[in-house]
Amino acid sequence: LVVTVSPVPLERTFSGRDIVVANIEGKSLLRAVLSEFTRSHHDVTYFPAYEMVTSLGEKGFIPGDLRHVKAAVVDMIMQTFINAHLGGTAELAA
């Protein structure tokens, strides 16, 4: 089993809190839970899609949008996943 955290930020929250704060808290909580889960289940692997996108900052997202991940970044993430989990034997369709 491979698990990950979505790099797509929340668009809204029902908590009444600031969306940026709610997004970071939610992603951090998910990441911490998945870290603990993968440590206790040796047949589960974490794939760092969230970290791959967020480490790029604004450059990872469509300009002016900052919500949708650029297609080239998605392609890079998918190729990294294929290389890591399928031995690089598959290629993305154009």
Side-chain angles (χ1 to χ4, degrees):
L1 179 64
V2 179
V3 294
T4 194
V5 173
S6 171
V8 178
L10 296 175
E11 188 171 17
R12 60 181 62 93
T13 179
F14 295 105
S15 71
R17 296 175 38 237
D18 178 81
I19 189 63
V20 174
V21 173
N23 180 67
I24 292 173
E25 181 181 24
K27 300 293 184 178
S28 298
L29 182 59
L30 286 170
R31 184 61 186 95
V33 167
L34 288 176
S35 184
E36 181 65 27
F37 186 74
T38 57
R39 276 197 295 274
S40 62
H41 295 83
H42 297 289
D43 57 343
V44 180
T45 301
Y46 179 78
F47 180 74
Y50 174 76
E51 292 83 351
M52 292 170 78
V53 174
T54 57
S55 68
L56 296 172
E58 291 184 11
K59 294 184 273 187
F61 296 93
I62 295 174
D65 174 278
L66 300 181
R67 178 164 166 70
H68 296 91
V69 179
K70 288 180 179 177
V73 175
V74 173
D75 289 346
M76 180 266 302
I77 291 168
M78 293 306 300
Q79 194 60 60
T80 302
F81 181 88
I82 288 167
N83 291 343
H85 297 287
L86 300 176
T89 58
E91 290 190 26
L92 296 174

